[in-house]
Amino acid sequence: MLPVKKKLYIRTFGCQMNVADSQQMAQLLAHEYELTSRAEDADLYLINTCAIRRKAEEKVKSLLGSLKLLKARNPRLILGVGGCVAQQEGERLLAAAPHLNLVFGTQGSHRLPELVRLAARGRRLVDVELKRGIRELPPRQWPQGAVSALVTIMQGCDNFCTYCVVPYVRGREASREPGAVIAEIADFLAAGGVEVTLLGQNVNSYGRGLAQPITFTGLLRRLAGLPRLKRLRFATSHPRDLSDELVAAYGELPALCEHLHLPVQSGSNRVLKAMNRGYSREDYLEKVSRLRRSCPDIAISTDLIVGFPGETEADFTQTLDLMREAAFDQAFSFKYSRRPQTRAAGFPDQVPEEVKTERLIRLQALQDELTLATHSRQVGRVTEVLVEGWSKRGPSQLCGRLRTNQVVNFTGPRELLGCLTPITITAAQPHSLQGSWAPAPPVTVGGCPKHPPRRQHV
Ligand code: 5AD
Ligand code: SF4
């Protein structure tokens, strides 16, 4: 009989990169722990944290407080905090939470099994060492039936945007060897996967510093040639480093999805300069029009910050104008949040909270209009959806994503889960699309000798 494994619960905050890191943590601990979705069953409870805005950090601290009760019910529970807040706070977290066993930083995953073993023997530990370079973790074990994969290709960031805590908590930029990335993705495709999202804080600078340098587009070209790969995505791009070569690739590589997340942050040159972004609004808009020429169907999403120190009403109006001109499909927008160690935290003219709130509301109202307009243009089209799961909208409603990253809900059979299938877009809503699915003769793709083939409806 196989030994019974202990239970691991992971609560992940923040971005896709944290989701990928949590998957790696689960795999590193898999010889002793299996994942549970019930926190109350956990023998090991890990919180993978995000420090990008103060609110995210506060959520972690309040969750940590509420876990005193769980620990009181199960004193053998090992409680660990990892990721960016752990990196930033280190010893202070352990001192503030006597029920916490373990604090590990953004580069501490590979030591996790050892740290957990020590914690199980009663030690309280902090491991927040940041080193240059990148450490290859053991090859990923892809779960049976996984369709989409998040693959980290680099870590850290050297850009030091003046508002951003990432370079301090994730360290300096370092890229994985292309051979390791390609092998990981080839394994995933051999196990039946179809969609890959490459992750890094600034993927456009991928390859710098490698013994045999390669550009990010060079990596995309090598990946796009892998036979079973249907959808290739990546995040996040820095507008300054978006090369002509990458713009051209959108017109050339069939697997590359017609979507780009290109954070602009502000439409005011004065603010962009104070943010240390390294481009102007004119540079940004020029890149947007080149992208649209190279790939007319491309959907562009962005990140925006309102209320950066010194932002005036005129600066903010320029952001609204840029949004209209760029015709963003989607925007993630945030009130500026003062972060420790960052230069902007010490800037004069911090914008009052109520002004930030009022600007955020206006900006989001505009984005809702822009999103609805791009969604409306999809109505009547027949396009491809990757079916990801059940929709929250009701029974027998499935949901999935178009190549342009828009979410579509539709009625269809459960056999479609994990499949690519054509769909007719019937209605546009501000945050999603409605579709209509009709059966088409299935063809078989994917699968390997070890795994049964997947039915694909395209
Ligand atoms: N305040 C508000 N938003 C921030 N972001 C990063 N740092 C801050 C901050 N201090 C936003 C940026 C970035 C996204 C991931 O988070 O828009 O692109
Ligand atoms: Fe932060 Fe700027 Fe690096 Fe993005 S590019 S992670 S915003 S410092």
Side-chain angles (χ1 to χ4, degrees), residues 52 156-167 201-202 236 238 240 263 265 275-277:
I52 203 125
C157 182
D158 288 350
N159 282 315
F160 292 93
C161 300
T162 56
Y163 52 81
C164 185
V165 77
V166 166
Q201 303 297 341
N202 177 15
T236 291
H238 194 299
R240 185 198 56 215
Q265 312 298 0
M275 288 176 163
N276 189 33
R277 290 292 287 173

Side-chain angles (χ1 to χ4, degrees), residues 16 197 232-235 237 250 255-262 291 295 297-302 329-330 332 401-406:
Q16 282 179 311
T197 305
L232 182 56
R233 304 180 182 280
F234 56 86
S237 275
Y250 273 100
L256 190 57
C257 286
E258 295 78 15
H259 171 236
L260 176 65
H261 185 62
L262 194 63
L291 280 160
C295 177
D297 284 336
I298 198 164
I300 300 177
S301 57
T302 200
D329 292 79
Q330 200 186 6
F332 300 90
R401 264 169 214 277
L402 306 184
R403 287 176 60 89
T404 41
N405 209 37
Q406 284 125 344

Side-chain angles (χ1 to χ4, degrees), residues 28-49:
L28 285 161
L29 294 162
H31 61 290
E32 265 192 80
Y33 290 88
E34 65 187 5
L35 277 171
T36 174
S37 55
R38 289 164 46 96
E40 56 279 23
D41 293 345
D43 301 291
L44 172 61
Y45 188 131
L46 299 178
I47 312 175
N48 191 6
T49 61

Side-chain angles (χ1 to χ4, degrees), residues 343-357:
R343 276 175 52 211
F347 284 0
D349 303 326
Q350 297 282 331
V351 175
E353 200 54 30
E354 59 278 13
V355 175
K356 289 185 204 169
T357 305

Side-chain angles (χ1 to χ4, degrees), residues 17 20-21 24 134-136 140 150-156 173-178 180-182 184-185 196-208 210 214-217 219-220 223 232-236:
M17 194 160 251
D21 288 349
Q24 285 279 17
I134 198 159
R135 173 181 286 267
E136 265 309 313
R140 294 274 286 274
L150 299 173
V151 176
T152 300
I153 59 166
M154 57 195 300
Q155 69 183 26
E173 209 170 89
S175 298
R176 290 178 67 194
E177 287 293 336
V181 173
I182 294 165
E184 186 166 312
I185 292 174
V196 170
T197 305
L198 308 175
L199 299 177
Q201 303 297 341
N202 177 15
V203 290
N204 306 97
S205 59
Y206 173 80
R208 285 182 204 158
L210 288 175
I214 172 174
T215 62
F216 177 57
T217 314
L219 178 71
L220 290 182
L223 292 171
L232 182 56
R233 304 180 182 280
F234 56 86
T236 291

Side-chain angles (χ1 to χ4, degrees), residues 89-301:
E89 298 294 308
E91 291 279 354
R92 285 195 294 271
L93 267 183
L94 210 61
H99 59 302
L100 182 59
N101 303 89
L102 181 59
V103 177
F104 58 101
T106 50
Q107 292 180 11
S109 296
H110 64 284
R111 291 187 291 270
L112 202 48
E114 176 61 13
L115 295 173
V116 168
R117 239 169 272 133
L118 293 171
R121 287 192 218 133
R123 298 258 311 265
R124 298 184 76 220
L125 304 136
V126 177
D127 182 345
V128 288
E129 196 183 356
L130 270 190
K131 280 198 177 145
R132 276 185 184 262
I134 198 159
R135 173 181 286 267
E136 265 309 313
L137 295 172
R140 294 274 286 274
Q141 305 292 315
W142 298 106
Q144 182 83 55
V147 206
S148 298
L150 299 173
V151 176
T152 300
I153 59 166
M154 57 195 300
Q155 69 183 26
C157 182
D158 288 350
N159 282 315
F160 292 93
C161 300
T162 56
Y163 52 81
C164 185
V165 77
V166 166
Y168 305 97
V169 292
R170 284 200 175 259
R172 305 311 298 268
E173 209 170 89
S175 298
R176 290 178 67 194
E177 287 293 336
V181 173
I182 294 165
E184 186 166 312
I185 292 174
D187 276 356
F188 169 67
L189 298 173
V194 291
E195 180 181 65
V196 170
T197 305
L198 308 175
L199 299 177
Q201 303 297 341
N202 177 15
V203 290
N204 306 97
S205 59
Y206 173 80
R208 285 182 204 158
L210 288 175
Q212 289 185 319
I214 172 174
T215 62
F216 177 57
T217 314
L219 178 71
L220 290 182
R221 285 189 196 285
R222 287 179 66 181
L223 292 171
L226 294 173
R228 293 196 180 99
L229 182 63
K230 301 287 176 205
R231 290 185 170 198
L232 182 56
R233 304 180 182 280
F234 56 86
T236 291
S237 275
H238 194 299
R240 185 198 56 215
D241 298 329
L242 183 82
S243 65
D244 292 347
E245 194 195 5
L246 180 55
V247 172
Y250 273 100
E252 294 164 12
L253 304 179
L256 190 57
C257 286
E258 295 78 15
H259 171 236
L260 176 65
H261 185 62
L262 194 63
V264 66
Q265 312 298 0
S266 169
S268 151
N269 282 338
R270 219 175 55 80
V271 174
L272 287 171
K273 190 153 190 285
M275 288 176 163
N276 189 33
R277 290 292 287 173
Y279 55 85
S280 65
R281 65 178 277 136
E282 293 76 17
D283 296 335
Y284 185 91
L285 287 168
E286 169 59 21
K287 292 204 173 173
V288 166
S289 43
R290 270 196 267 152
L291 280 160
R292 294 204 192 281
R293 277 200 300 276
S294 166
C295 177
D297 284 336
I298 198 164
I300 300 177
S301 57

Side-chain angles (χ1 to χ4, degrees), residues 356-405:
K356 289 185 204 169
T357 305
E358 187 261 340
R359 287 183 187 161
L360 189 69
I361 292 169
R362 280 159 63 200
L363 183 150
Q364 290 179 341
L366 170 60
Q367 187 54 50
D368 283 352
E369 273 176 40
L370 296 174
T371 304
L372 191 57
T374 60
H375 280 180
S376 302
R377 284 197 289 278
Q378 296 271 13
V379 175
R381 285 194 186 168
V382 179
T383 183
E384 176 200 271
V385 61
L386 176 57
V387 187
E388 293 179 349
W390 294 104
S391 160
K392 288 181 219 117
R393 302 199 155 223
S396 79
Q397 283 258 322
L398 294 166
C399 78
R401 264 169 214 277
L402 306 184
R403 287 176 60 89
T404 41
N405 209 37

